[in-house]
Amino acid sequence: MAKKSVASLQTGSKRLSKAIKMVKSPKTGAYMFVESIMAPELVEEFFKK
């Protein structure tokens, strides 16, 4: 189960995206959120991990 959220950020001449996904912890079974700021081309790869 994954929650996908992508926000576009623009700083100067670079265009970035902030991606947030929900990951289940293998130890406790609780869900936690993993955030990352990256180039828009890398967002799909981030969600596939």
Side-chain angles (χ1 to χ4, degrees), residues 1-4 19-36 46-47 49:
M1 180 176 201
K3 177 181 180 180
K4 292 184 180 181
I20 304 169
K21 86 176 156 179
M22 191 166 67
V23 179
K24 189 171 184 177
S25 172
K27 291 181 182 178
T28 63
Y31 287 95
M32 59 185 175
F33 292 95
V34 178
E35 297 182 22
S36 183
F46 174 74
F47 286 123
K49 290 183 185 177

Side-chain angles (χ1 to χ4, degrees), residues 1-48:
M1 180 176 201
K3 177 181 180 180
K4 292 184 180 181
S5 177
V6 177
S8 293
L9 308 172
Q10 200 162 1
T11 58
S13 63
K14 291 187 178 182
R15 183 178 166 96
L16 301 172
S17 295
K18 180 178 181 181
I20 304 169
K21 86 176 156 179
M22 191 166 67
V23 179
K24 189 171 184 177
S25 172
K27 291 181 182 178
T28 63
Y31 287 95
M32 59 185 175
F33 292 95
V34 178
E35 297 182 22
S36 183
I37 297 176
M38 65 196 77
E41 305 84 45
L42 302 175
V43 172
E44 288 298 321
E45 184 179 319
F46 174 74
F47 286 123
K48 288 181 182 178

